[in-house]
Amino acid sequence: MSSKPTWEMIQNMLRLSNIHTYYGNIHALKGIDIQVEQGEVISLIGANGAGKSTTLLTTSGIVPAKKGVVELEGEDITHLPPDEIVKKGICHVPEGRRIFPYLTVAENLDMGAFLRNDKEGIKEDIHYVYSLFPILADRRNQAGGTLSGGEQQMLAISRALMSRPRILLLDEPSLGLAPIIVKQIFDIINKINQDNKTTIFIVEQNANLALKAAHRGYVMENGAVTMSDTGENLLANEDVKKAYLGM
C-alpha cells in the first residue's frame, strides 16, 4: 500500500453528494455520497451491476446525475460536459480501454495531450510514460489495436496521463488480464500516485488488489454505498471477506 498522504497534502478534491443517476427508468445510483481527498488512492468495490462504473461515468459527466451535486474543490461540475471536466483535470480511463485501434502508440499519446500546447512539457510526459511502460516505447510505431490486452491497458493509462490529470478515474484496470500483468498495472498505479501526488479513484472487481492499493475504500451494493473505511480495515472486515474476498 502506498504511504498515507501528509496533512499538508490533504484537501477535499472531489465530492459526490446525494447523487442519483438513471438509465431511463432504471435507478442506477441511489443517493450516494463519496469524498476523495487530494493525493489519495480511493477504491470502489462491489458486485457486477452495483453501480461502480456508473459512479465514474457520472463523475466524468458522461452519464449526468439527475439529482445531487458533483464538486471539484468546491466547484459544482455536475452539469458540465465531459470535455470541460477533462479541462478541469479529471481524466477517465473507461472499462475496456477504448484506445484508438488504428492509431499508433505514439499517436494515441498525442491524442491524450490534445488540450495542451506546452511542447516541452508534452515531451517530458512522453518520456515519463515510456519510463513507466518501456514496452510502449518499443511499440511506439505499432497500431494500438495490435497490442495485447495488457499493453492496451498500459496505453490507455498512459494516454490519460498525457492530459496531466489531477484526478485519474480508472474503471476495471485488471479486467481480462493475466495475474502477472495485473500486478504490474497496480504497481504502476501506486507509482503514479507517489511520483506525482496524482489523486486516483479506482473501480475494480478484484477487491483484494483494489483495497491493498487504496488509502480508503467504499463498498457499493445495488446503487448505494453501504460501507467505507481505510483499505486496510476493509480488507480485515469479516463481511467484506465473505462477500468480496472469497473467504
Side-chain angles (χ1 to χ4, degrees):
M1 183 183 297
S2 55
S3 60
K4 187 176 180 180
T6 63
W7 283 111
E8 290 78 17
M9 185 195 311
I10 292 284
Q11 181 179 342
N12 181 21
M13 283 203 76
L14 178 69
R15 183 189 293 271
L16 282 67
S17 302
N18 192 32
I19 293 294
H20 293 259
T21 301
Y22 289 77
Y23 295 103
N25 293 324
I26 299 173
H27 196 177
L29 298 181
K30 304 170 183 176
I32 67 168
D33 294 292
I34 290 176
Q35 182 172 312
V36 182
E37 305 289 357
Q38 184 179 4
E40 284 189 309
V41 177
I42 296 293
S43 290
L44 178 61
I45 66 169
N48 284 332
K52 304 187 305 298
S53 292
T54 302
T55 300
L56 295 191
L57 290 168
T58 298
T59 301
S60 60
I62 297 170
V63 181
K66 188 170 183 180
K67 181 181 177 183
V69 178
V70 180
E71 292 176 293
L72 177 64
E73 293 184 330
E75 179 186 357
D76 187 346
I77 63 169
T78 314
H79 301 296
L80 289 181
D83 61 313
E84 290 296 323
I85 291 175
V86 172
K87 288 178 183 178
K88 289 186 178 294
I90 297 178
C91 195
H92 186 174
V93 180
E95 182 181 347
R97 295 123 201 177
R98 300 187 191 179
I99 59 162
F100 299 105
Y102 300 111
L103 299 184
T104 66
V105 167
E107 289 167 339
N108 268 274
L109 295 179
D110 287 341
M111 290 300 292
F114 78 99
L115 290 175
R116 299 172 56 185
N117 55 20
D118 57 321
K119 292 183 180 179
E120 290 304 314
I122 291 171
K123 286 181 182 179
E124 289 175 8
D125 290 345
I126 288 174
H127 178 76
Y128 176 67
V129 298
Y130 282 158
S131 73
L132 291 176
F133 301 112
I135 190 67
L136 295 184
D138 295 340
R139 307 221 191 291
R140 69 187 72 193
N141 296 317
Q142 188 171 325
T146 65
L147 302 177
S148 69
E151 290 163 355
Q152 288 188 24
Q153 185 65 69
M154 295 173 191
L155 179 55
I157 293 172
S158 296
R159 183 182 62 185
L161 290 176
M162 290 304 300
S163 71
R164 285 198 175 174
R166 295 157 64 205
I167 302 178
L168 186 61
L169 309 180
L170 298 176
D171 194 352
E172 300 286 2
S174 76
L175 187 66
L177 303 183
I180 190 170
I181 300 298
V182 171
K183 183 182 183 305
Q184 183 180 358
I185 293 290
F186 270 85
D187 285 346
I188 293 299
I189 288 170
N190 274 327
K191 180 171 173 55
I192 292 166
N193 173 249
Q194 293 169 6
D195 284 352
N196 306 313
K197 303 300 184 285
T198 303
T199 305
I200 301 176
F201 188 6
I202 307 173
V203 157
E204 178 55 57
Q205 190 69 26
N206 188 326
N208 186 51
L209 269 178
L211 293 176
K212 284 181 178 178
H215 299 101
R216 294 188 299 112
Y218 290 83
V219 179
M220 178 170 274
E221 297 177 13
N222 299 316
V225 172
T226 58
M227 193 183 308
S228 65
D229 207 330
T230 65
E232 185 177 4
N233 286 347
L234 288 174
L235 279 169
N237 183 282
E238 292 301 322
D239 292 334
V240 171
K241 284 182 181 181
K242 290 176 184 177
Y244 304 110
L245 303 181
M247 299 180 183

